[in-house]
Amino acid sequence: MHTLTQKNPLRLAWLLALSVTLSCPCATNAAPRNNDLRIGQKYEIVGELYAHSICDDRYCREVTIIDLVPLRLRGPEIFSRQLVPVGSVLTVVDKAPKKFLAFLYPDRYVVRVNTIKSPVGIPVIIDLSRGIEGKSTALNPLIFKPLF
């Protein structure tokens, strides 16, 4: 007798991928949890945070996004890096569009920071990963203080 995997090994892989995708808690219509970021929410920067200008094509050197991270990252895709001044105000503008296979990526938000002058059309983003995220709050309280 043949089992499902002997007859068609790809069928089992597709079923597994489909079940993981459908069980993912990242539905776009899901009700926000208490610690989710809300559009319009403001935070004061109270800790170390860097704005990295990122280029998708390192040969063209055209900035495509500005990524806020509490780490001093290096790499060929990083065009420049600046320290975001303590006391700056970050405003959540929108939730960024989902990527293909969204369950593999952290939630991403488009934000505005009053001390960062980004070129027109270049979004400033934060990913809820790499130290940005909090444990009991949406953002790390060592870096972000909610403003009410």
Side-chain angles (χ1 to χ4, degrees), residues 23-45:
S23 65
C24 176
C26 54
T28 57
N29 293 334
R33 297 182 309 259
N34 287 341
N35 63 347
D36 279 351
L37 289 179
R38 293 184 315 274
I39 306 306
Q41 196 169 7
K42 295 180 184 266
Y43 292 88
E44 179 183 356
I45 308 298

Side-chain angles (χ1 to χ4, degrees), residues 5 29 32 36 51 68-70 72 82 101 119-120 125 143:
T5 57
N29 293 334
D36 279 351
L68 301 179
V69 184
R72 291 177 56 111
Q82 71 180 42
L101 298 176
V120 174
I125 58 113
I143 303 169

Side-chain angles (χ1 to χ4, degrees), residues 83-103:
L83 183 63
V84 178
V86 171
S88 299
V89 176
L90 176 141
T91 305
V92 180
V93 175
D94 201 2
K95 190 159 187 170
K98 293 283 187 186
K99 294 182 179 183
F100 177 68
L101 298 176
F103 65 91

Side-chain angles (χ1 to χ4, degrees), residues 16-126:
L16 180 61
L18 180 62
S19 68
V20 168
T21 302
L22 293 176
S23 65
C24 176
C26 54
T28 57
N29 293 334
R33 297 182 309 259
N34 287 341
N35 63 347
D36 279 351
L37 289 179
R38 293 184 315 274
I39 306 306
Q41 196 169 7
K42 295 180 184 266
Y43 292 88
E44 179 183 356
I45 308 298
V46 294
E48 192 171 276
L49 187 67
Y50 294 93
H52 296 85
S53 296
I54 309 292
C55 301
D56 285 338
D57 181 357
R58 65 181 173 177
Y59 299 109
C60 176
R61 303 304 284 171
E62 183 176 318
V63 174
T64 53
I65 64 169
I66 297 174
D67 193 9
L68 301 179
V69 184
L71 308 168
R72 291 177 56 111
L73 301 177
R74 296 183 189 271
E77 68 280 358
I78 297 176
F79 183 72
S80 67
R81 175 183 58 232
Q82 71 180 42
L83 183 63
V84 178
V86 171
S88 299
V89 176
L90 176 141
T91 305
V92 180
V93 175
D94 201 2
K95 190 159 187 170
K98 293 283 187 186
K99 294 182 179 183
F100 177 68
L101 298 176
F103 65 91
L104 297 174
Y105 300 95
D107 286 340
R108 175 177 271 192
Y109 291 86
V110 176
V111 298
R112 184 175 51 249
V113 179
N114 66 336
T115 57
I116 296 176
K117 304 297 179 217
S118 65
V120 174
I122 305 299
V124 179
I125 58 113
I126 57 171

